Amino acid sequence: MYSRIKSAILIAGTVLAVSAHAQVTVKEAWIRATVPQQKATGAFMQLTASQDTRLVSVNTPLTPKAEVHEMAMQDNVMRMRQVRAIELPAGKTVELKPGGYHVMLMDLPAQVKEGQTVPLTLVFEDKSGARKTQDVKVPVRALNAAVAPKDEHGEHKH
């Protein structure tokens, strides 16, 4: 009897631990293709979190250097810089897009070609500081792509 109660408590604790992590929906993720010898490109997507969450980092086997960046006007000049995190307010879609927040993939060892699929691991942090990862497979779009086509969706949840 005691072991059944103990098991029920463990299961309940596991369910609570899982539900405490914010869920993030990833839509329309894509990476811009590169030309030969180009060493950097961007990854873009739409992120919607069920609870206040932050995107704090990204990892990929494509390159050891993936960072979260933003483009912002500074002294009348558009500048790109790394940010510590992107805030994802509960229920609000935050778009990572050219000219705004994005994931920067740098020190690329090879050309990234249209039609490839690149795995990314997104690292999210909730208000308590707990981190959770989410794997997504991101298609590579043409070099001149400005936005993801509306008829192709890469929706992922965790």
Side-chain angles (χ1 to χ4, degrees):
M1 179 71 168
Y2 175 73
S3 65
R4 286 186 187 169
I5 293 172
K6 185 177 176 183
S7 294
I9 290 171
L10 287 174
I11 290 170
T14 302
V15 170
L16 288 175
V18 170
S19 65
H21 289 286
Q23 291 189 351
V24 178
T25 300
V26 180
K27 289 184 176 177
E28 301 189 26
W30 62 286
I31 293 173
R32 181 174 286 146
T34 64
V35 296
Q37 311 304 318
Q38 184 179 346
K39 297 294 182 192
T41 191
F44 314 98
M45 62 198 76
Q46 295 176 0
L47 302 173
T48 308
S50 61
Q51 301 173 14
D52 290 344
T53 304
R54 306 167 60 183
L55 173 65
V56 294
S57 66
V58 178
N59 299 304
T60 177
L62 186 66
T63 177
K65 194 167 183 180
E67 298 176 348
V68 180
H69 279 209
E70 76 170 344
M71 297 289 292
M73 289 298 288
Q74 183 178 12
D75 300 326
N76 292 325
V77 177
M78 182 65 82
R79 299 190 188 271
M80 180 175 63
R81 68 181 179 109
Q82 183 179 12
V83 293
R84 290 187 52 219
I86 297 174
E87 299 294 328
L88 305 173
K92 181 178 178 184
T93 298
V94 175
E95 189 170 9
L96 281 60
K97 61 184 178 183
Y101 287 121
H102 60 280
V103 172
M104 197 71 199
L105 306 171
M106 298 175 289
D107 297 338
L108 297 170
Q111 182 180 8
V112 180
K113 297 179 180 176
E114 182 179 2
Q116 279 182 280
T117 300
V118 176
L120 295 181
T121 300
L122 307 174
V123 181
F124 298 103
E125 182 178 276
D126 67 17
K127 290 173 91 173
S128 71
R131 291 188 173 194
K132 186 171 184 176
T133 62
Q134 180 173 347
D135 295 325
V136 294
K137 294 189 185 299
V138 181
V140 177
R141 305 271 183 241
L143 182 62
N144 60 356
V147 295
K150 292 292 182 191
D151 61 342
E152 294 182 28
H153 299 277
E155 186 173 329
H156 307 273
K157 291 182 179 177
H158 76 114

